Amino acid sequence: MAFDCYCAICGVGFCGMHIEAPSETALERRRRWIEKRCRALQAGKDLGQVSREGDETEDPVRSYDPRIVGWDNISWLYKAHCLGVNENAETGATKAFISDEGYYADIGEFVVKARSDGDRPRSQQVFSCYGHGSEEAPGPVLPFHWCCFEILIRTITGSTEIKNINLDVLYSVMTPLCNMSGSALQLSYGDDIQRAQGRYWECIPGAEYCATHPMDTPQLEDFVQENAETNSELKTPSAELDLRGREPASPFGRLPLEIVYQICMLLPGDSLKALAQASLNIHIVTQDNLFWKQFMQRDMPWFWELQAAKFQKVSHDLNYKKMYMWLDKMTAPRYGMDDLKLIGVANRRRIWGVCEELADRYSKSLKQPSVSSMQWGSG
Ligand SMILES: [Zn+2]
């Protein structure tokens, strides 16, 4: 039975991407389709419910918006590599390997074409994704897009050097996560991705961001820079806190300021926002502009344009708390996103989240005594 497999890292497919031909009627139909679903999401419904309600008078839209994605920026999805193990590796040598570039064929098969050039010509290789192995590799192989792998390396090692990563360990933490249907890993890829991972990849209108190249984001840096310079909303100082004689009373008040500062710095953004609302003490600590400048850097490691941005050096009148809140909102991956400047980084942020789950397992596994060679049955 034919079926699709999905990238082990980002959860998106390797084929079957459909982009609608541009036409006024089609775009209007698409707009109504997405608007209805955005309203449903806001009302707390799930999208499956909308389709089941049955008042749909129009044919379903099953393609991406040509104004948001084009073949040039989704071609990256078709190029795949895989991580597998080679049981014939010499003792002591790394067993896990990364294949050359190939493509997803069907029924779980990943193919690397024959190569005749170079010193060592090679015949075609066929691997079995998430499955029971093939002649080429005895265990399942994990297929991925190259740039997703680059994001993963960056999350784990802080650099883009593949040699800094232990592939055996990576393979051993990823394979137990294979899902029941053998089409992806059990990771939080996001609702829009989970919905699209059917027997075949479904091009859900309104979820174009997940097919957008996560690294190739040429307009992003200027967009951020421009807003830092001219968006007056981001310049106004935060409202002064009127204590009205209240004394902040919380366990944090008994700790040295630097410790409280460090605790706040380590919290995820949502937790910090909640804590600052609940605790007057934390609220006071986080009034500091420098705090937010540092927090923004720490909380958004996937936003490397931000680390390099010029405004980090020049802007004296920028309110970093507002800047953080604004960027946090603008770059959050969500259904219906259509801002070309932001969809790429939103996808990167989503993938980074998945990579953090893997990085966590990877670092725990590195600390454990090494697992002796794994054996895979051949069928
Ligand atoms: Zn991917």
Side-chain angles (χ1 to χ4, degrees):
M1 192 176 79
F3 62 93
D4 276 353
C5 277
Y6 306 111
C7 172
I9 302 167
C10 78
V12 179
F14 299 100
C15 55
M17 302 295 152
H18 303 291
I19 300 176
E20 188 157 50
S23 93
E24 280 304 316
T25 23
L27 294 179
E28 175 53 25
R29 192 167 74 99
R30 172 178 294 278
R31 192 191 54 75
R32 285 197 304 271
W33 179 271
I34 294 174
E35 228 175 60
K36 186 173 177 185
R37 278 156 183 79
C38 282
R39 275 200 306 274
L41 283 176
Q42 275 162 10
K45 294 185 189 172
D46 74 75
L47 293 187
Q49 212 174 333
V50 181
S51 306
R52 282 195 303 274
E53 276 169 359
D55 61 344
E56 212 84 74
T57 48
E58 296 177 293
D59 289 337
V61 183
R62 291 207 175 96
S63 55
Y64 289 139
D65 190 331
R67 293 166 302 179
I68 304 176
V69 290
W71 290 111
D72 51 339
N73 65 8
I74 63 168
S75 57
W76 67 283
L77 291 169
Y78 283 76
K79 294 169 191 161
H81 290 257
C82 72
L83 174 64
V85 288
N86 172 12
E87 283 296 308
N88 302 322
E90 288 165 33
T91 336
T94 307
K95 287 192 169 191
F97 66 89
I98 288 175
S99 75
D100 285 344
E101 185 182 303
Y103 62 94
Y104 180 77
D106 202 342
I107 52 166
E109 283 182 357
F110 169 74
V111 179
V112 178
K113 279 188 188 158
R115 189 179 59 190
S116 54
D117 57 321
D119 325 328
R120 284 196 297 175
R122 190 201 52 217
S123 52
Q124 171 173 292
Q125 295 173 303
V126 180
F127 298 98
S128 150
C129 300
Y130 306 112
H132 295 293
S134 66
E135 273 176 35
E136 311 289 350
V141 301
L142 309 166
F144 54 80
H145 305 114
W146 189 255
C147 63
C148 296
F149 187 63
E150 282 185 334
I151 295 174
L152 179 63
I153 299 172
R154 218 164 158 145
T155 316
I156 293 178
T157 69
S159 76
T160 47
E161 297 279 338
I162 297 175
K163 64 174 168 36
N164 292 343
I165 207 152
N166 182 326
L167 292 180
D168 285 341
V169 172
L170 186 62
Y171 184 79
S172 73
V173 299
M174 288 175 84
T175 34
L177 299 172
C178 289
N179 67 9
M180 292 292 282
S181 55
S183 60
L185 299 184
Q186 285 172 298
L187 292 166
S188 314
Y189 297 120
D191 291 346
D192 288 321
I193 282 74
Q194 244 108 42
R195 270 195 288 274
Q197 288 179 341
R199 183 172 154 198
Y200 295 108
W201 180 254
E202 193 184 335
C203 299
I204 299 177
E208 282 83 0
Y209 71 87
C210 61
T212 315
H213 199 294
M215 313 262 255
D216 189 11
T217 49
Q219 305 172 55
L220 185 62
E221 207 171 319
D222 287 347
F223 173 74
V224 173
Q225 185 71 29
E226 223 173 274
N227 271 284
E229 279 165 14
T230 59
N231 187 342
S232 55
E233 287 286 304
L234 305 174
K235 305 270 177 187
T236 46
S238 302
E240 277 291 322
L241 195 62
D242 183 5
L243 290 178
R244 293 175 197 273
R246 278 193 296 164
E247 283 279 324
S250 82
F252 295 109
R254 291 195 283 275
L255 293 169
L257 192 62
E258 293 90 87
I259 304 283
V260 181
Y261 202 90
Q262 289 304 324
I263 293 172
C264 292
M265 200 54 83
L266 293 171
L267 290 175
D270 286 342
S271 311
L272 179 63
K273 278 184 250 170
L275 187 60
Q277 274 180 349
S279 158
L280 191 55
N281 227 297
I282 300 295
H283 190 90
I284 293 168
V285 171
T286 56
Q287 286 297 87
D288 181 22
N289 211 21
L290 182 66
F291 170 84
W292 286 100
K293 185 176 177 180
Q294 289 175 355
F295 184 78
M296 186 162 76
Q297 297 267 356
R298 197 208 51 78
D299 192 59
M300 298 177 159
W302 40 267
F303 207 150
W304 41 82
E305 292 83 353
L306 199 62
Q307 327 285 337
K310 289 187 245 52
F311 73 82
Q312 296 279 27
K313 298 179 198 82
V314 295
S315 250
H316 301 298
D317 59 346
L318 190 63
N319 182 324
Y320 283 94
K321 180 175 181 179
K322 289 191 173 166
M323 184 76 180
Y324 167 77
M325 300 290 184
W326 178 73
L327 285 174
D328 186 48
K329 189 169 152 234
M330 298 297 274
T331 61
R334 62 186 178 279
Y335 179 79
M337 255 193 133
D338 59 2
D339 191 326
L340 300 182
K341 298 183 281 298
L342 294 163
I343 47 174
V345 76
N347 196 26
R348 191 196 304 161
R349 176 176 172 176
R350 176 184 76 79
I351 299 170
W352 189 277
V354 180
C355 291
E356 276 183 334
E357 279 185 61
L358 289 171
D360 194 39
R361 289 166 188 271
Y362 176 89
S363 67
K364 279 185 188 132
S365 179
L366 259 194
K367 284 174 200 143
Q368 283 166 4
S370 70
V371 183
S372 58
S373 76
M374 282 173 299
Q375 295 297 322
W376 298 101
S378 54

